[in-house]
Amino acid sequence: MSEGATGLIEAGAGAQPQPGERRRGIDRVIMLLEALLKHRAPMRIGDIAKMINAPRSTTYEIVNSLLEAEMLENVGSEGYVYFGRAMHLFGWAYSHHNAHYRRILETLDRMAAETGETVQLCGLRGNKYVVLDCRDSPGPFRISSDVGVEVPIPWTASGRLLVGHMQETELKDFIPAADYELPDGRVIAPDEFFADVDLARRQGFSETSALADRFTWCMAAPIRDSHGAINTTLCFVLPVDTPEPRRNQLLELLRERARALSLAGS
Amino acid sequence: MSEGATGLIEAGAGAQPQPGERRRGIDRVIMLLEALLKHRAPMRIGDIAKMINAPRSTTYEIVNSLLEAEMLENVGSEGYVYFGRAMHLFGWAYSHHNAHYRRILETLDRMAAETGETVQLCGLRGNKYVVLDCRDSPGPFRISSDVGVEVPIPWTASGRLLVGHMQETELKDFIPAADYELPDGRVIAPDEFFADVDLARRQGFSETSALADRFTWCMAAPIRDSHGAINTTLCFVLPVDTPEPRRNQLLELLRERARALSLAGS
DNA sequence: TTAGTTTGTCCGATATTCCAGACAACATGT
DNA sequence: ACATGTTGTCTGGAATATCGGACAAACTAA
């Protein structure tokens, strides 16, 4: 049971709609919000009901409650709903309640401005990797509005750092077997991945080239919390053909900034 | 019935704890999140229970559900909880799902960088005014991490614009009588306020000096959605003693940028 | 036109959630 | 030592939230 953060929504897919099955309103709310996040666009209430496998009448009831609380809001004129203003405020409160996170965002801004490259802040969500925030390079490439999209851990440089605290046996349980298959069909050998994780832990950074996508070179460095644990990583997403001297220079900057943001020493 | 967005939480204050009173989980969740937002800091579960007037056992149950969904997370080592990573992602999704909002945030960044002043994006939440986002002036003054804090509409310049679509009689119902009293004890005459609203509507901007606080001069300009309605405003928060020529220059900039962000014409 | 689908609302029944209260374990302070 | 206050967990029972299904209205597509 890899009961991750998004465990509930899985029920949406495979669960046989057992007759008489009844769920709590709270769980429905959670499933609904995660479904919206996964879908990344306004949805019709009927479609939401199908997606989270809930009765239509219940879905209407819940959506109306959330609309009234402004956690959802109507989008467009006919029947679509998406996240609302209240969610924005809750999320803002999350990202600003501690000075640490604020410093991280400032660093993100500064690095993007100084280098002109795409910079990301990454973390785990359940047993997946997610981008928590990003500053896109101003160039024409990469729209990367992929904040919040769940990606298999083995596809990413940051992922190799974020699981650094786990034993190999733990890792085997933690990462679904399917996650070793890349989008282009190649499969990463788990042992190779474990070796990568180990290497990343020892050198204190991680790089991947043309892994999840053929055109990018990613480099990640860990941000440690006050216990020394790695909760988030800082990460550059570069064109694969970035010349090596520049890459080294950027890696140096990345590691320095990530170190400065870590709370371990202070 | 001024059933605003935050209607539910009001029950927390005045409601007599009717013996057989029982509430839905969903409503408890909404009350809980709004209580956290209002409190603006991590809280203990016991205190949350008191604040939202819920049984302790129920509160534990709900908090644990939300923790598992990462909508809340533990803060510090002993018993405090606050908003979690999922909220950040939901909020991010809200603020980036449409190009319009993204353009607004970019404008906010640009204006702050160009002028060095504090810039805010403001809107309504129920029958209160809230700051939706801000860029603080780099100067030593004003911490203004007041995003999401509810403020009476008559205290603000933006408020005068945001209610511009309402009739005077509607306004009388909409704004609680208590909201005309300023923090320093002065009371705004409702008729004077209605005249302000009217003026703001006619001139397409609004200014207040030393109103909610003695040291600031605020100016706001409306951002109109595709129906021409005013959903949000752009706003400068200046020191009261800013010289008039500079104020005029900033006002001009503000109005121009707000107009550029409005969707009415295009 | 007819036939089919979807939307939003309403209803009554029952399976279940939410509640009150008790409990142990741990902090307090005096 | 005691009295008093927490925190986190569990329980049984009763009020009720969720569900299935029905309904009219609005849209499609022939």
Side-chain angles (χ1 to χ4, degrees), chain A residues 7-232:
Chain A
L8 280 169
I9 209 180
E10 288 162 17
Q16 62 271 41
Q18 271 216 26
E21 183 162 29
R22 198 177 149 169
R23 294 185 112 93
R24 294 196 310 172
I26 298 192
D27 295 333
R28 296 285 192 202
V29 168
I30 294 170
M31 287 187 283
L32 193 159
L33 296 176
E34 287 182 348
L36 265 188
L37 181 66
K38 186 164 284 185
H39 193 254
R40 316 228 102 224
M43 291 177 80
R44 298 267 203 66
I45 301 185
D47 296 326
I48 295 177
K50 276 176 210 137
M51 186 151 190
I52 67 176
N53 222 329
R56 252 159 31 83
S57 53
T58 306
T59 309
Y60 272 95
E61 169 90 24
I62 290 174
V63 168
N64 286 331
S65 290
L66 296 180
L67 282 173
E68 202 188 346
E70 294 183 14
M71 290 176 59
L72 297 182
E73 70 184 31
N74 283 101
V75 176
S77 40
E78 274 319 323
Y80 285 84
V81 297
Y82 204 52
F83 297 110
R85 214 164 253 193
M87 284 303 187
H88 172 71
L89 298 177
F90 298 154
W92 204 97
Y94 168 79
S95 35
H96 293 254
H97 87 278
N98 63 9
H100 187 213
Y101 208 109
R102 280 201 299 271
R103 278 176 52 218
I104 292 177
L105 294 184
E106 281 162 23
T107 299
L108 226 53
D109 281 327
R110 265 218 322 280
M111 289 175 69
E114 289 169 9
T115 67
E117 303 289 351
T118 295
V119 200
Q120 298 180 327
L121 177 72
C122 308
L124 291 188
R125 178 160 160 69
N127 59 6
K128 302 284 188 224
Y129 152 103
V130 291
V131 177
L132 295 171
D133 215 323
C134 72
R135 298 295 180 271
D136 285 328
S137 115
F141 289 112
R142 305 230 19 120
I143 335 88
S144 96
S145 78
D146 45 10
V147 167
V149 173
E150 300 187 350
V151 173
I153 292 172
W155 297 10
T156 68
S158 293
R160 287 161 169 69
L161 286 164
L162 289 164
V163 298
H165 60 101
M166 299 178 99
Q167 309 291 337
E168 200 171 305
T169 52
E170 276 181 90
L171 269 180
K172 277 184 179 136
D173 286 346
F174 188 62
I175 298 185
D179 284 7
Y180 291 99
E181 182 174 345
L182 294 168
D184 61 6
R186 284 179 297 161
V187 175
I188 301 172
D191 284 334
E192 193 185 323
F193 175 70
F194 300 146
D196 276 3
V197 170
D198 192 54
L199 176 66
R201 174 174 39 228
R202 283 185 286 111
Q203 48 181 27
F205 67 90
S206 177
E207 290 187 288
T208 62
S209 66
L211 193 63
D213 113 43
R214 282 166 43 221
F215 311 105
T216 57
W217 183 294
C218 296
M219 47 180 69
I223 300 175
R224 294 170 186 280
D225 66 18
S226 46
H227 309 316
I230 300 176
N231 258 315
T232 52

Side-chain angles (χ1 to χ4, degrees), chain B residues 245-261:
Chain B
R246 169 133 175 102
R247 284 204 321 258
N248 290 336
Q249 179 192 340
L250 289 170
L251 179 59
E252 211 36 62
L253 176 69
L254 185 74
R255 297 187 64 190
E256 178 192 313
R257 293 294 162 84
R259 207 163 25 229
L261 287 171

